[in-house]
Amino acid sequence: MEHDLAKGPASDAAPTGRGRSRTTKAFWRKIRQPLAQSRFVKNAIASLFAQFVRFVRLTNRVVEGSARFSGGAYTEFEPGIIALWHGQHLLTPAYYPKRKPLVAMVSRSADAELNALMLEKFGIEAVRGSGGRENARHLDKGGAKALIALKKSLAVGKNVAMIADIPHGTPRDAGLGIVLLARLSGRPLVPVAITTSRRKVLEKSW
């Protein structure tokens, strides 16, 4: 009898715990969308990303023999089209010299908006657009307008940056967008890769 009585309160408390869990989940679902759309929250996250990138640069040395943006290695090619691979572009804002204007093409996806906001923290202008595929289904993603904007930037002496390979495509396989920009502008492609000796590679992130 005593054993049964001892179990009583515990069994009564269990639904309360589950109820609290359901309430918490319902509350999170309610605020998740407004938070994701909040300009303040996005700017806060972008600022954290920017500080992290600066921290990585401060705590990692440039590999000996690497050409530096600010060391004049690319002066003869400017204004040029900086070509980057996915995964080797994240540190570019921290290493690009502040005195030189740069315009970067950033996807119009919701995730890439944080990337665009982070670039602004470094004084880099972002134009939004996706391109590179031959499929007509992708022509409405702003790629054409973005290419025109980048071409105009090159014409006034600004360097521009694009990620050469296409999301969800073949890694390290350049799309047509960056090639088309070089052809239309007559400016050279400048291949750039920035990585660190200490890193974590996300193999299944593509």
Side-chain angles (χ1 to χ4, degrees), residues 77-83 103 144 146-162 176-190:
F77 302 114
E78 295 180 346
I81 304 166
I82 298 173
V103 182
L147 285 178
I148 292 172
L150 293 179
K151 182 176 180 293
K152 289 181 178 179
S153 297
L154 288 165
V156 297
K158 296 180 180 180
N159 291 326
V160 304
M162 285 183 67
L176 295 178
I178 194 167
V179 177
L180 180 60
L181 177 61
R183 182 182 300 171
L184 293 175
S185 65
R187 300 308 305 163
L189 293 172
V190 182

Coordinates of all heavy atoms in Angstrom, one line a residue, residues 77-83 103 144 146-162 176-190:
F77 N 46.3 43.0 -62.4 CA 45.1 42.4 -62.9 C 43.8 43.2 -62.4 O 42.7 42.8 -62.7 CB 44.9 41.0 -62.3 CG 46.0 40.1 -62.7 CD1 46.9 39.5 -61.8 CD2 46.3 39.7 -64.1 CE1 47.9 38.7 -62.1 CE2 47.3 38.9 -64.4 CZ 48.2 38.4 -63.5
E78 N 44.0 44.3 -61.7 CA 42.9 45.0 -61.2 C 42.4 46.1 -62.2 O 43.2 46.6 -62.9 CB 43.3 45.7 -59.9 CG 43.6 44.7 -58.7 CD 43.9 45.4 -57.5 OE1 44.2 46.6 -57.5 OE2 43.9 44.8 -56.4
P79 N 41.1 46.3 -62.2 CA 40.1 45.6 -61.5 C 39.9 44.2 -62.0 O 39.8 44.0 -63.2 CB 38.8 46.5 -61.7 CG 39.0 47.1 -63.0 CD 40.5 47.4 -63.1
G80 N 39.8 43.3 -61.1 CA 39.6 41.9 -61.5 C 38.5 41.2 -60.9 O 37.8 41.7 -60.0
I81 N 38.3 40.0 -61.3 CA 37.2 39.1 -60.8 C 37.8 38.1 -59.9 O 38.4 37.1 -60.4 CB 36.4 38.5 -62.0 CG1 35.9 39.5 -63.0 CG2 35.2 37.6 -61.4 CD1 35.4 38.9 -64.3
I82 N 37.6 38.2 -58.6 CA 38.1 37.3 -57.7 C 37.3 36.0 -57.7 O 36.1 36.1 -57.4 CB 38.2 37.9 -56.3 CG1 39.1 39.1 -56.3 CG2 38.6 36.9 -55.2 CD1 39.1 39.9 -55.0
A83 N 37.9 34.9 -58.0 CA 37.1 33.7 -58.2 C 37.4 32.8 -57.0 O 38.6 32.5 -56.7 CB 37.5 32.9 -59.5
V103 N 33.1 44.5 -54.6 CA 31.6 44.2 -54.7 C 31.5 42.7 -54.9 O 32.2 42.1 -55.7 CB 31.0 44.9 -55.9 CG1 29.5 44.6 -56.0 CG2 31.2 46.4 -55.8
A144 N 21.1 37.6 -63.8 CA 21.4 38.5 -64.9 C 21.6 39.9 -64.4 O 22.6 40.6 -64.7 CB 20.2 38.5 -65.9
A146 N 22.5 40.8 -61.4 CA 23.7 40.8 -60.6 C 24.9 40.9 -61.4 O 25.9 41.6 -61.1 CB 23.8 39.5 -59.7
L147 N 24.9 40.1 -62.5 CA 26.1 40.2 -63.5 C 26.2 41.6 -64.1 O 27.4 42.1 -64.2 CB 25.9 39.1 -64.6 CG 26.1 37.7 -64.2 CD1 25.9 36.8 -65.4 CD2 27.6 37.5 -63.7
I148 N 25.1 42.2 -64.4 CA 25.2 43.6 -64.9 C 25.8 44.5 -63.9 O 26.6 45.4 -64.2 CB 23.8 44.0 -65.4 CG1 23.3 43.2 -66.6 CG2 23.8 45.5 -65.7 CD1 21.9 43.4 -67.0
A149 N 25.3 44.4 -62.6 CA 25.8 45.2 -61.6 C 27.3 45.0 -61.4 O 28.1 46.0 -61.2 CB 25.1 44.9 -60.3
L150 N 27.8 43.8 -61.5 CA 29.2 43.5 -61.3 C 30.0 44.0 -62.5 O 31.1 44.6 -62.3 CB 29.4 42.0 -61.2 CG 28.9 41.3 -59.9 CD1 29.2 39.8 -60.0 CD2 29.5 41.9 -58.7
K151 N 29.5 43.9 -63.7 CA 30.1 44.5 -64.9 C 30.3 46.0 -64.7 O 31.4 46.6 -65.1 CB 29.3 44.1 -66.1 CG 30.0 44.6 -67.4 CD 29.1 44.1 -68.6 CE 29.8 44.6 -69.9 NZ 29.7 46.1 -70.1
K152 N 29.3 46.7 -64.2 CA 29.3 48.1 -64.0 C 30.4 48.5 -63.0 O 31.1 49.5 -63.1 CB 28.0 48.7 -63.6 CG 27.0 48.7 -64.7 CD 25.6 49.2 -64.3 CE 24.6 49.2 -65.4 NZ 23.3 49.8 -65.0
S153 N 30.5 47.6 -61.9 CA 31.5 47.9 -60.9 C 32.9 47.8 -61.4 O 33.8 48.6 -61.1 CB 31.3 46.9 -59.7 OG 30.0 47.0 -59.1
L154 N 33.1 46.8 -62.3 CA 34.4 46.6 -62.9 C 34.7 47.8 -63.8 O 35.9 48.3 -63.8 CB 34.4 45.3 -63.7 CG 34.5 44.0 -62.9 CD1 34.1 42.8 -63.8 CD2 35.9 43.8 -62.3
A155 N 33.7 48.3 -64.4 CA 33.9 49.4 -65.4 C 34.4 50.7 -64.7 O 35.1 51.5 -65.3 CB 32.6 49.7 -66.2
V156 N 34.0 50.8 -63.4 CA 34.4 52.0 -62.6 C 35.7 51.7 -61.7 O 36.0 52.5 -60.9 CB 33.3 52.6 -61.8 CG1 32.1 53.0 -62.7 CG2 32.8 51.5 -60.7
G157 N 36.3 50.6 -62.0 CA 37.6 50.3 -61.3 C 37.5 49.5 -60.0 O 38.5 49.4 -59.3
K158 N 36.3 48.9 -59.7 CA 36.2 48.2 -58.5 C 36.4 46.7 -58.7 O 36.0 46.2 -59.8 CB 34.8 48.3 -57.9 CG 34.4 49.7 -57.4 CD 33.0 49.7 -56.9 CE 32.6 51.1 -56.4 NZ 31.2 51.1 -55.9
N159 N 37.1 46.0 -57.8 CA 37.2 44.6 -57.9 C 35.9 43.9 -57.5 O 35.1 44.5 -56.7 CB 38.3 44.1 -56.9 CG 39.7 44.4 -57.3 OD1 40.0 44.5 -58.5 ND2 40.6 44.7 -56.3
V160 N 35.6 42.8 -58.1 CA 34.4 42.0 -57.7 C 34.8 40.6 -57.3 O 35.9 40.1 -57.7 CB 33.4 42.0 -58.9 CG1 33.1 43.4 -59.4 CG2 33.9 41.2 -60.1
A161 N 33.9 40.0 -56.6 CA 34.1 38.6 -56.2 C 32.9 37.7 -56.4 O 31.8 38.2 -56.2 CB 34.5 38.6 -54.7
M162 N 33.2 36.5 -56.9 CA 32.1 35.5 -57.1 C 32.6 34.2 -56.7 O 33.8 33.9 -56.7 CB 31.8 35.5 -58.6 CG 30.9 36.6 -59.1 SD 30.5 36.3 -60.9 CE 29.4 34.9 -60.7
L176 N 28.8 28.8 -65.3 CA 28.9 29.6 -66.5 C 28.9 31.1 -66.1 O 29.4 32.0 -66.9 CB 27.8 29.4 -67.5 CG 27.8 28.0 -68.2 CD1 26.6 27.8 -69.1 CD2 29.1 27.8 -69.0
G177 N 28.3 31.4 -64.9 CA 28.1 32.8 -64.6 C 29.4 33.6 -64.5 O 29.6 34.7 -65.1
I178 N 30.4 33.1 -63.8 CA 31.7 33.8 -63.7 C 32.5 33.9 -65.0 O 33.1 34.9 -65.3 CB 32.5 33.1 -62.6 CG1 33.7 34.0 -62.1 CG2 33.1 31.7 -63.0 CD1 34.4 33.6 -60.9
V179 N 32.3 32.8 -65.8 CA 32.9 32.9 -67.1 C 32.3 33.9 -68.0 O 33.0 34.7 -68.7 CB 32.8 31.5 -67.8 CG1 33.4 31.5 -69.2 CG2 33.5 30.4 -67.0
L180 N 31.0 34.0 -67.9 CA 30.2 35.0 -68.7 C 30.6 36.4 -68.3 O 30.8 37.3 -69.2 CB 28.7 34.8 -68.6 CG 27.8 35.8 -69.3 CD1 28.1 35.7 -70.8 CD2 26.4 35.5 -69.0
L181 N 30.8 36.7 -67.0 CA 31.2 38.0 -66.5 C 32.6 38.4 -67.1 O 32.8 39.5 -67.5 CB 31.2 38.0 -65.0 CG 31.7 39.3 -64.3 CD1 30.7 40.5 -64.7 CD2 31.7 39.2 -62.8
A182 N 33.5 37.4 -67.1 CA 34.8 37.7 -67.6 C 34.8 38.0 -69.1 O 35.4 39.0 -69.6 CB 35.7 36.5 -67.4
R183 N 33.9 37.3 -69.8 CA 33.8 37.5 -71.2 C 33.2 38.9 -71.5 O 33.6 39.6 -72.4 CB 32.9 36.4 -71.8 CG 32.8 36.5 -73.4 CD 31.9 35.4 -73.9 NE 32.4 34.1 -73.5 CZ 31.8 33.0 -73.7 NH1 30.5 33.0 -74.2 NH2 32.3 31.8 -73.4
L184 N 32.1 39.3 -70.8 CA 31.4 40.5 -71.0 C 32.2 41.7 -70.6 O 32.2 42.8 -71.3 CB 30.1 40.5 -70.3 CG 29.0 39.5 -70.7 CD1 27.8 39.6 -69.8 CD2 28.6 39.8 -72.2
S185 N 33.0 41.6 -69.5 CA 33.7 42.7 -69.0 C 35.1 42.9 -69.6 O 35.7 43.9 -69.6 CB 33.8 42.6 -67.5 OG 34.6 41.5 -67.1
G186 N 35.7 41.7 -70.1 CA 37.0 41.7 -70.6 C 38.1 41.8 -69.5 O 39.3 42.0 -69.7
R187 N 37.6 41.5 -68.2 CA 38.5 41.6 -67.1 C 39.0 40.2 -66.7 O 38.2 39.2 -66.9 CB 37.9 42.3 -65.9 CG 37.5 43.7 -66.1 CD 38.6 44.5 -66.7 NE 39.8 44.5 -65.9 CZ 41.0 44.8 -66.3 NH1 41.2 45.2 -67.5 NH2 42.1 44.7 -65.4
P188 N 40.2 40.0 -66.1 CA 40.7 38.7 -65.8 C 40.1 38.1 -64.6 O 39.6 38.8 -63.7 CB 42.2 39.0 -65.6 CG 42.2 40.4 -65.1 CD 41.1 41.1 -65.8
L189 N 40.1 36.7 -64.6 CA 39.7 36.0 -63.4 C 41.0 35.8 -62.5 O 42.0 35.5 -63.0 CB 39.2 34.6 -63.7 CG 37.9 34.6 -64.5 CD1 37.6 33.1 -65.0 CD2 36.7 35.1 -63.6
V190 N 40.8 36.1 -61.2 CA 41.9 36.0 -60.3 C 41.5 34.9 -59.2 O 40.7 35.2 -58.3 CB 42.1 37.3 -59.5 CG1 43.3 37.2 -58.6 CG2 42.4 38.5 -60.5

